[in-house]
Amino acid sequence: MNQSVFTSWSLPRAAEPSLPAEKLSNVDLVLQCQLGHSPDKAAFAELLRRHQSHVERVLYYLAPDWQDRSDLVQEVWIRVYRHIKRLQEPMKFRGWLSRIATNLFYDELRKRKRHRQPLSLDARLAVEDGEMDWEIASDTPGPDETLTTREFYDQLQSAIADLPDVFRTTIVLREIQGMAYEEIAEITGVSLGTVKSRIARARLRLQSQLQSYLDGNE
């Protein structure tokens, strides 16, 4: 991205570089990453700290049985590091991040369907001016909840994981990532009607499984 377009009226100004990264807003962190020849390490690491659990959760729902899911999380951040300067609207960083994670999942899914070797990444992220270490979130993310709520959350995860691939991916994109039907159709490469049908059928399956759980706990 040409940094000359950063004017006082086109985009918000980046925060003063003297402020620690943890004090900056998400928009300021993105802008800070876009200013130099390569993303500012402190600002980028703070973006990762704030949002890596979101990436992990998206991929957890999309690929619950993939043992190398942490590799995919790391690849998402590699892509973000390489392309963050292209983000035209910093306030939409989270949505952009979700799209990168989803597209990576579909890229890898297509590779696996062609019987290629699964993705494997080194533990460190190599950048132009050195290396950076990333701590990847747990494979089973979840909020700190009461036992009853946590049990239901676990049942929901299990029910989603048991869905056929085509149903699971569409329901995750719709219900967890909040994507529009049109976006899902574009990403998955199927018609709008097929997307709506898959989501409806996935909801019916989830309702049936979760109702059985709730009936058994009355």
Side-chain angles (χ1 to χ4, degrees):
M1 179 185 297
N2 187 341
Q3 301 303 318
S4 64
V5 301
F6 283 10
T7 63
S8 59
W9 51 266
S10 61
L11 285 174
R13 290 183 180 275
E16 291 296 328
S18 59
L19 290 175
E22 60 270 18
K23 299 294 185 181
L24 302 180
S25 68
N26 287 329
V27 170
D28 285 331
L29 289 171
V30 172
L31 291 174
Q32 199 71 23
C33 288
Q34 292 178 330
L35 289 177
H37 175 69
S38 60
D40 178 83
K41 287 187 178 182
F44 187 81
E46 180 62 18
L47 281 174
L48 184 145
R49 186 190 69 79
R50 294 181 188 182
H51 299 286
Q52 68 174 344
S53 61
H54 171 68
V55 174
E56 178 65 27
R57 181 163 300 177
V58 168
L59 291 174
Y60 180 80
Y61 279 110
L62 288 172
D65 55 346
W66 288 12
Q67 298 302 310
D68 59 346
R69 202 164 51 246
S70 62
D71 288 341
L72 296 179
V73 174
Q74 193 172 21
E75 174 63 17
V76 168
W77 287 104
I78 290 173
R79 293 188 180 190
V80 172
Y81 188 90
R82 290 173 177 169
H83 302 300
I84 195 168
K85 291 181 183 295
R86 300 180 185 178
L87 180 58
Q88 299 289 335
E89 299 179 87
M91 65 288 299
K92 296 183 178 181
F93 174 78
R94 189 179 179 90
W96 180 71
L97 181 63
S98 295
R99 289 293 295 261
I100 289 177
T102 302
N103 288 333
L104 174 65
F105 165 74
Y106 270 95
D107 287 347
E108 182 62 17
L109 187 62
R110 283 189 287 267
K111 290 179 184 178
R112 295 184 184 209
K113 286 183 177 180
R114 293 196 297 266
H115 306 291
R116 293 185 179 179
Q117 292 296 319
L119 180 66
S120 180
L121 303 172
D122 293 332
R124 295 172 67 83
L125 167 61
V127 296
E128 292 180 2
D129 52 350
E131 292 183 330
M132 301 177 73
D133 286 307
W134 307 122
E135 292 185 3
I136 304 301
S138 168
D139 280 352
T140 53
D144 183 16
E145 303 159 316
T146 64
L147 179 59
T148 301
T149 304
R150 178 69 196 191
E151 286 177 351
F152 179 80
Y153 183 80
D154 290 342
Q155 287 293 322
L156 175 60
Q157 287 183 325
S158 178
I160 292 175
D162 286 341
L163 291 172
D165 287 348
V166 293
F167 293 162
R168 185 176 68 245
T169 53
T170 50
I171 200 71
V172 167
L173 296 179
R174 177 62 180 172
E175 303 296 352
I176 296 177
Q177 295 201 48
M179 289 187 177
Y181 291 112
E182 293 78 7
E183 289 181 292
I184 299 172
E186 180 182 352
I187 289 174
T188 57
V190 299
S191 68
L192 187 61
T194 299
V195 168
K196 291 181 178 179
S197 174
R198 288 177 178 177
I199 290 174
R201 293 172 67 183
R203 285 172 175 164
L204 286 175
R205 290 193 181 210
L206 290 176
Q207 288 172 1
S208 176
Q209 287 186 256
L210 293 175
Q211 190 61 51
S212 297
Y213 165 76
L214 292 173
D215 290 345
N217 283 274
E218 289 181 352

